Amino acid sequence: MKNFAIAALLLAATPASAKDVVIHAGKLIDGTSKSVRTKVSVVIKDDRITKVENGFVDAGKAELIDLSNATVLPGLIDAHVHITAEFDGGNPIAQHVTRTRLYDAFASVAFARRTLEAGFTTVRDAGADTDLVVAMKRAIEQGHIAGPRLFVAGAPLGPTGGHGDSANGLDPELTHPRWPENIVDSPEAARRLVRDFHRRGVDQIKIMPSGGVLSIGDDPTMQLMADDEIKAVIDTAHNLGMKVMAHAHGKRAIDRSIELGVDSIEHGTYADADSYKLFKKHGVYLVPTMLIAQAVYEVAQKHPEQLPPSSAEKALATVPRMHKNVTDAYKAGVKFAYGTDQALVPHGRNAEEFALLVKAGFTPIDAILAATQNGAALLGQSQNLGSVQAGRFADIIAVSGDPLADVTELQRVKFVMKGGQVVRR
């Protein structure tokens, strides 16, 4: 019996052989426009969509999946997660110096499955142990474990004492072989690390030009990376075909990162009207991460002892400004890509960001497009992801109700398909 259970788990994690499928969609939000189509057939061959036709076509010998009473959408894209970590309410300093990468590797299998089953068929990991997250990406691609399509940055690059410095706030005599691997204190170091990370298998790069909230002792309003360091990272990454995301709260860090060529700004807390002009001029995406902002604000109010020293004070000052910035940037016409910064909130609850965006002023359809069409464009994957149309991967989800009337429907996904394989029926 024990061997049978193990075999069942292995089969569950391994994709079955692909086959022809026809989906009858009662309503379709296809990710290409703001309109809703009714009574549509999605025809799938292997892992790709071949046709999207009006009406309910005869499936013939293909498998028919009847979603005629549901609303069908493209698989969702979360452009800012930390798939190898999850906050459990314990002492963050103790966890930092006691949890091993092997523990994180095993725990991450559950995080990835929960994310996929919640309807997020693609995510961009915005900071993790480099070799661990690359290995996880490859294990998912090869079908060894279930999870979303991963685009990964590895460890975020930043300066000594900055948001990504793992030694912040600790006894200076404490060391770890991997802690210095992401420290950038010169353009030369920046170029070397980007090339090294590319060699090790990352497909994105993340930088930390400003301080952060959950790090110890740094100031989120200040630019901590020098301009020549930022530029060296961006130029080297772009020359290798990789996009660059910038963790940036302070206005100067935001503005200079945009002017130096970054592809997206994560958080963007203290941006202003001049910043929004730069976003639009350079075509840069803002990834707002409101879900973690809400979570850390609540912890700071009720359980500040669960946060690193100085973080509660920074959260109480920063989070209200983050909410205002999202509203102002949306009104100004800045491009948004959906991102949650999952880790503080349990994985699988990524869709809670939708309601926060709507509360900040988004229409439900614009919030959905941020997690489909825009997410794919930010990743440089519009030809593969983010829409239900011919030639794209058959990444498809469905909900029972109408997410345009109640966007929280996306928290109750009933059907998930990734690459033509049904993950949740």
Side-chain angles (χ1 to χ4, degrees):
M1 190 68 176
K2 182 178 179 181
N3 289 338
F4 176 80
I6 293 172
L9 286 171
L10 290 173
L11 286 171
T14 305
S17 57
K19 56 184 178 181
D20 295 344
V21 176
V22 174
I23 294 175
H24 286 171
K27 294 181 180 178
L28 175 65
I29 299 172
D30 65 11
T32 67
S33 72
K34 296 185 180 184
S35 62
V36 180
R37 300 171 65 177
T38 58
K39 294 185 178 180
V40 177
S41 296
V42 182
V43 182
I44 296 162
K45 175 77 172 177
D46 296 327
D47 62 348
R48 298 268 180 174
I49 298 167
T50 58
K51 290 185 289 186
V52 180
E53 300 187 36
N54 292 326
F56 292 152
V57 304
D58 183 5
K61 294 182 179 180
E63 177 188 359
L64 173 63
I65 297 176
D66 184 5
L67 298 175
S68 58
N69 292 318
T71 301
V72 174
L73 305 94
L76 302 173
I77 300 170
D78 190 333
H80 191 128
V81 303
H82 300 278
I83 201 70
T84 65
E86 186 172 279
F87 178 69
D88 63 5
N91 183 319
I93 302 299
Q95 290 179 3
H96 181 46
V97 295
T98 58
R99 278 175 43 169
T100 68
R101 71 196 308 201
L102 289 175
Y103 177 92
D104 289 340
F106 282 106
S108 299
V109 175
F111 303 158
R113 178 179 283 279
R114 294 205 311 258
T115 301
L116 177 60
E117 290 179 348
F120 287 81
T121 54
T122 299
V123 302
R124 181 179 65 160
D125 190 280
D129 179 291
T130 304
D131 296 325
L132 168 57
V133 77
V134 169
M136 187 175 192
K137 170 187 172 74
R138 292 171 177 167
I140 291 172
E141 289 173 346
Q142 294 169 17
H144 298 307
I145 60 174
R149 303 178 191 279
L150 281 183
F151 292 81
V152 302
L157 307 185
T160 297
H163 184 51
D165 189 342
S166 296
N168 278 2
L170 303 181
D171 181 343
E173 295 185 4
L174 286 177
T175 62
H176 192 288
R178 287 192 301 278
W179 285 356
E181 79 164 5
N182 62 324
I183 298 300
V184 170
D185 285 326
S186 69
E188 292 76 18
R191 283 188 284 269
R192 182 186 64 79
L193 284 173
V194 171
R195 291 165 181 158
D196 176 59
F197 278 28
H198 181 264
R199 177 178 61 182
R200 289 157 66 180
V202 308
D203 43 44
Q204 314 274 309
I205 293 291
K206 182 181 182 182
I207 57 174
M208 303 293 212
S210 86
V213 173
L214 291 178
S215 45
I216 301 173
D218 56 333
D219 186 341
T221 68
M222 297 181 68
Q223 178 178 331
L224 302 181
M225 283 184 79
D227 284 3
D228 58 355
E229 295 163 352
I230 296 171
K231 182 169 175 56
V233 171
I234 293 171
D235 290 350
T236 307
H238 285 174
N239 287 340
L240 292 169
M242 298 188 295
K243 291 180 178 287
V244 180
M245 64 184 100
H247 159 103
H249 287 284
K251 172 179 166 55
R252 177 173 171 78
I254 293 165
D255 293 356
R256 292 302 294 140
S257 295
I258 293 174
E259 290 167 336
L260 292 168
V262 79
D263 298 288
S264 68
I265 295 291
E266 317 299 303
H267 318 304
T269 304
Y270 292 99
D272 63 12
D274 291 333
S275 306
Y276 305 148
K277 292 176 183 177
L278 289 173
F279 272 99
K280 294 167 71 175
K281 176 182 177 181
H282 294 271
V284 172
Y285 283 87
L286 175 59
V287 182
T289 66
M290 297 184 75
L291 186 55
I292 192 174
Q294 173 182 271
V296 73
Y297 191 77
E298 291 174 357
V299 174
Q301 286 183 313
K302 299 174 183 177
H303 298 285
E305 74 281 357
Q306 293 181 351
L307 297 175
S310 77
S311 292
E313 181 180 349
K314 289 192 285 183
L316 294 173
T318 302
V319 171
R321 184 63 181 83
M322 290 180 71
H323 285 265
K324 182 179 186 303
N325 174 60
V326 171
T327 300
D328 292 346
Y330 177 68
K331 289 178 179 178
V334 171
K335 294 191 298 184
F336 279 81
Y338 189 98
T340 61
D341 210 353
Q342 282 293 82
L344 196 66
V345 176
H347 294 281
R349 290 171 52 186
N350 309 58
E352 293 178 18
E353 178 94 6
F354 284 108
L356 296 173
L357 291 174
V358 170
K359 184 178 179 180
F362 277 60
T363 62
I365 188 62
D366 281 344
I368 290 169
L369 291 175
T372 54
Q373 181 186 78
N374 291 6
L378 173 57
L379 292 171
Q381 292 290 315
S382 295
Q383 76 281 13
N384 291 316
L385 306 171
S387 60
V388 178
Q389 58 178 316
R392 274 55 176 181
F393 283 120
D395 293 357
I396 294 171
I397 68 168
V399 296
S400 297
D402 180 3
L404 300 185
D406 178 6
V407 79
T408 67
E409 276 294 321
L410 294 169
Q411 297 175 31
R412 300 179 289 276
V413 169
K414 304 298 184 183
F415 174 88
V416 180
M417 171 183 280
K418 177 192 167 194
Q421 300 297 325
V422 176
V423 175
R424 181 174 185 176
R425 189 185 295 272

